[in-house]
Amino acid sequence: MLLEPRATPSRWMNYAAPLLAILLTLGVGALLFTALGKDPKEAFHVFFIGPLADANGWSELLLKAAPLILIAEGLAIGFRARIFNIGAEGQLIMGAIFGGGVAIAFPESQSAWLLPAMVLAGATGGALWGAIPALLKTRFNAEETLTTLMLAYVANLVLAWLVSDPWRDPGGMNFPQSVMFGDAALFSMLFEGLRLNTSVFITGVAVLLFWLFVSKSFLSYQVTVGGLAPQAARYAGFPASRTVWLSLVLSGLTAGLAGIGEVAGPVGQLNLNISPGYGYAAIIVAWIGRLHPVGIVFSGLLMALIYLGGEAAQMALQTPAAITGIFQGMLLFFLLACDVFIDFRLRKPLEKRRAAALAKKAIA
Amino acid sequence: MIEHLIPILAGTLGAATPLIYAGLGELVAERSGVINLGVEGMMLIGAVAGFAAAVETGGGAGAGFLAGAAAGTFAALCFAVLTMSLAANQSAAGLALTIFGIGLSAFIGQHYVSHSLPGLKPVALPLLSSIPLLGPVFFTQDMGVYLSFVFFGIVWWVLAKTKLGLMLRAVGESPESAHALGFPVFAIRYGAVLFGGAMAGIAGAYLSTVYTPMWVQNMSAGRGWIAVALVVFATWRPGRLLLGAWLFGGVTILQFHAQALGVRVPSQLLSALPYIATIVVLVLISRDRKLLQLNLPASLGKSFVPGR
């Protein structure tokens, strides 16, 4: 079998590839469960159906999907322009530090302005952390793939230092964590008894804005061209550096917002576990969502379900926690493999086809 | 100060060793025109496979190195099939490999969390180790360090002096011309990527069976990424890679000796030094575009599909 380029990319395969990738992941997942000595049927039920059986499950799904979608929307703008920000995890942490810092600075505040100030600070923190690789790329030509990731490790260590020294909760039994935030520093709950909070609206607004940006604005077109053909963009009067700045600052900003959504939401303080790798998982979300604002909503929900399913399987089937990461990685692997059929089709080698044609003739 | 010098320099060599293995492998892959951002993932898979093999077989670090190399090669094979046979985007496939490797290694490693290994004792090479300063630093090391020197020699010699090295570089410059000349472009790229995987796997196995002989989740801690950065720093030349690895090894080791040297800085800040140093060095190298493009393989990152 050989790959033969298609005359035009297949639109159909563009949408079919993610579905095919999901099926392949489930197939290998079934093998994996069998290898672990679990009945795959039961395991799939626990993993994918069980978590959505009640209102609490749906609340948890949206709670996990919201930051993933928010970050992935920002990353997709850059990915469209071939700017590979892979350090969203660090920008998320910086958002949490900046926003959480406001809450820690005013522990007694009852002001209605406290939470908006935290959101603003969180967005600023993420955007600033994204601006550093933008500066390094535009001024010094330094590859953003590596700088964004290195900065993610640095952000993690800054957080570790803050919560184990200057911002450590004196009553926290020496655990590396800050004080718990007051009520005024937390997003309010949407429903009685469920953890889903108002920060989900930030994601809603972001999806709408990114959809408008991508489908209606000339700027988005320029950004995409700027990444694909920097020379052409320069002739058209749009410098490539603006693409870099816009992509990295925007994706840093959304990651920062996701960070404050976590610490002023389900976490409620600064500690070392503010993100279960949302910044990295969002890379997969963006890719499976085809870098499209609406596609990302669906892939974000799917990825959130994998997180929930992983937790459920851990409790019900005693499978290891790392199974979530394996499913996420496999999904991206299979998607990349299936994507080949967008631009190529399979065909038999020429000699075999000739032989087959000759045989047909001979029979006729 | 002087009494710290020899332990610091000797420790630098150990800390640099995983970077040398992984960096040499990535350098060969990139010289063939393939950029594999999955080094971190391959290292973790190698680390856990090496550790598991050393524990299960009782074969120590030797068994660990073999298993690490095999596991790294297998991980690289997945990447090679995706990027070459299926022409997937190299950056995306590398990221996928890293994400997958983090998950898979944590999954396998779960059984080994409380185990530990004896590691490798330093071997003083006869005569050489009695040279003042150089002896204790370079020639009183474990076998893993010496083996990395051997690999460095082989990679340098093959790239610079052999026909295979010439073909590899030609493929990295222009796969189309190399293909037209009758060079087996696919075979060479597959070979280079698999070699890169084996080396990343050994780097991981060195970490888990020799450097810190135990299994900790995510124990490579970004060293795979630093190795990728080192290849840029080295402008795709093995000699500079070796120097770069020692530089980074030194930065890593300094944090352990900082307290003894009387430096009063939070430990987390010292731990951040290697990452910050990576950024600084990348900036210094990248700002000189001419220097960067002198050795940059012209087809780096581009898929090759004959007849397109």
Side-chain angles (χ1 to χ4, degrees), chain A residues 194-253:
Chain A
L194 302 178
R195 295 203 303 163
L196 188 65
N197 61 58
T198 46
S199 75
V200 73
F201 293 123
I202 296 180
T203 300
V205 171
V207 171
L208 198 66
L209 287 179
F210 277 103
W211 179 74
L212 285 173
F213 178 69
V214 168
S215 59
K216 306 280 178 224
S217 80
F218 184 58
L219 182 64
S220 146
Y221 175 73
Q222 283 180 312
V223 166
T224 308
V225 172
L228 296 180
Q231 300 287 350
R234 228 189 330 271
Y235 283 125
F238 190 80
S241 64
R242 212 182 305 169
T243 302
V244 175
W245 278 101
L246 194 76
S247 309
L248 285 165
V249 170
L250 258 187
S251 52
L253 188 141

Side-chain angles (χ1 to χ4, degrees), chain B residues 12-13 16-17 19-20 138 149 230 241-251:
Chain B
T12 293
L13 250 66
T17 298
L19 298 176
I20 294 174
F138 282 94
F149 294 163
L230 265 179
L241 185 97
L242 196 66
L243 291 178
W246 286 338
L247 179 74
F248 278 86
V251 174

Side-chain angles (χ1 to χ4, degrees), chain A residues 276-361:
Chain A
Y278 284 149
Y280 301 115
I283 298 170
I284 308 179
V285 170
W287 224 279
I288 293 175
R290 312 271 70 171
L291 309 183
H292 188 282
V294 180
I296 285 170
V297 174
F298 289 109
S299 63
L301 289 168
L302 173 70
M303 198 63 71
L305 183 58
I306 294 180
Y307 270 114
L308 281 187
E311 285 171 14
Q314 212 180 326
M315 282 187 285
L317 306 169
Q318 278 84 44
T319 51
I323 213 157
T324 301
I326 294 184
F327 265 87
Q328 292 174 345
M330 270 201 304
L331 202 52
L332 187 51
F333 261 141
F334 284 127
L335 181 71
L336 290 169
C338 295
D339 272 359
V340 72
F341 300 113
I342 296 173
D343 293 315
F344 297 90
R345 70 176 95 227
L346 275 181
R347 64 143 207 226
K348 288 185 183 137
L350 204 57
E351 299 82 73
K352 272 194 191 161
R353 274 200 303 192
R354 248 185 224 145
L358 281 176
K360 234 182 199 173
K361 243 183 211 168

Side-chain angles (χ1 to χ4, degrees), chain A residues 28 40-41 96 154 190 236 253 278 333:
Chain A
V28 178
K41 233 169 150 187
V154 174
L190 277 171
L253 188 141
Y278 284 149
F333 261 141

